[in-house]
Amino acid sequence: MAIDKKEHIINVAIELFSEKGFEGTSIRDLAAKAAVNVAMVNYYFGSKENLFKAMVEYRATYIRERLEEITNNTKTTEIEKLDAIIEHYVYRFLTHHKYHRVIHQELLLEQREDIHNTIIKVFSKNKDIIHSIIEKGIKRKVFKKVDIEFTIVTIIGTINQATLSRSMCSIMTDKGKDFDLYTDERFRKRIIKHVKQVIHSHLLIEQ
């Protein structure tokens, strides 16, 4: 299936923002890399700032759709839903590590208030879905009465730190052989296992 021009420009923007940063990337750079003219970029987005915002919403929508699918599954328990969310987030963070690095850098720098607020607003929609799952587990007395916001930060923060840290390569070295941090199945499973253990210990009431 062919990718439409708007989506193509967003994907190219992720590449360039990851390599050069927001400040180091110009609309002309984007147009050249995407093999489109500057007028087309301006037509779709109007400015580099608006392109960045569109990029955030575009990626967050994919995650939100999966979170809603997980939440609406009436055959799974709250902890099973969280396990599925952890698996999905790890997969997304590793598969789209360049995008998540761009977002991480932007949140840390806080140089552009409008963009910073857009990221927080968009991500809050996804956070609210996870919040509702944990809240329901607490009400059903299968989860401890934890600080829900802190628990969500723990889930996302642990995944984010593990998938963005190049030092993790040394942990997964196998007999001195290099491996691709972002595609290695052992690495993905190790992160998932660790995060699940942390969250299960933090949330579950011993039966």
Side-chain angles (χ1 to χ4, degrees):
M1 182 182 293
I3 299 177
D4 64 34
K5 288 292 185 183
K6 188 173 182 179
E7 184 177 349
H8 173 62
I9 293 170
I10 288 174
N11 288 332
V12 170
I14 292 171
E15 291 284 336
L16 289 180
F17 288 148
S18 176
E19 294 171 7
K20 300 182 176 182
F22 183 86
E23 295 294 344
T25 302
S26 68
I27 291 294
R28 191 170 297 279
D29 292 333
L30 286 165
K33 182 77 172 179
V36 300
N37 56 49
V38 172
M40 179 174 288
V41 179
N42 288 327
Y43 170 76
Y44 281 126
F45 306 102
S47 68
K48 188 168 63 170
E49 288 77 9
N50 287 340
L51 170 56
F52 196 102
K53 294 176 186 178
M55 177 191 76
V56 174
E57 181 60 50
Y58 170 71
R59 288 296 189 195
T61 297
Y62 278 98
I63 292 180
R64 190 177 311 130
E65 289 172 353
R66 177 59 180 146
L67 293 185
E68 289 173 347
E69 180 183 332
I70 291 170
T71 303
N72 294 331
N73 186 346
T74 58
K75 296 181 180 180
T76 56
T77 64
E78 282 70 35
I79 196 62
E80 289 171 337
K81 294 182 196 298
L82 287 181
D83 282 349
I85 288 172
I86 288 168
E87 291 173 9
H88 181 64
Y89 265 107
V90 170
Y91 172 79
R92 294 292 299 185
F93 273 50
L94 289 173
T95 305
H96 303 285
H97 57 276
K98 291 183 178 180
Y99 165 73
H100 289 288
R101 184 178 294 113
V102 170
I103 297 300
H104 184 66
Q105 290 172 346
E106 193 63 33
L107 288 174
L108 286 177
L109 292 174
E110 295 189 61
Q111 292 180 340
R112 288 161 283 277
E113 184 178 357
D114 194 25
I115 288 179
H116 183 88
N117 290 339
T118 295
I119 294 172
I120 297 301
K121 182 179 180 180
V122 170
F123 280 29
S124 289
K125 296 177 183 178
N126 294 348
K127 184 201 70 174
D128 289 344
I129 296 174
I130 303 174
H131 189 287
S132 67
I133 294 172
I134 298 175
E135 187 174 47
K136 187 174 181 180
I138 293 174
K139 288 181 178 178
R140 293 184 58 185
K141 301 185 184 304
V142 293
F143 290 168
K144 302 171 186 174
K145 292 183 178 179
V146 297
D147 183 319
I148 298 178
E149 296 294 324
F150 178 77
T151 302
I152 295 172
V153 169
T154 300
I155 294 172
I156 304 303
T158 304
I159 295 172
N160 190 65
Q161 183 62 32
T163 56
L164 293 181
S165 175
R166 292 187 180 278
S167 64
M168 291 299 291
C169 289
S170 61
I171 296 176
M172 292 298 296
T173 300
D174 181 16
K175 297 179 181 180
K177 296 180 180 179
D178 292 333
F179 74 102
D180 188 335
L181 178 68
Y182 303 111
T183 61
D184 190 271
E185 185 68 11
R186 297 166 304 159
F187 181 60
R188 182 177 69 85
K189 288 181 177 179
R190 188 164 181 173
I191 295 175
I192 290 171
K193 181 180 179 180
H194 173 69
V195 179
K196 284 183 179 180
Q197 287 176 337
V198 170
I199 297 307
H200 285 205
S201 175
H202 179 66
L203 279 176
L204 290 175
I205 296 176
E206 294 184 7
Q207 300 298 319

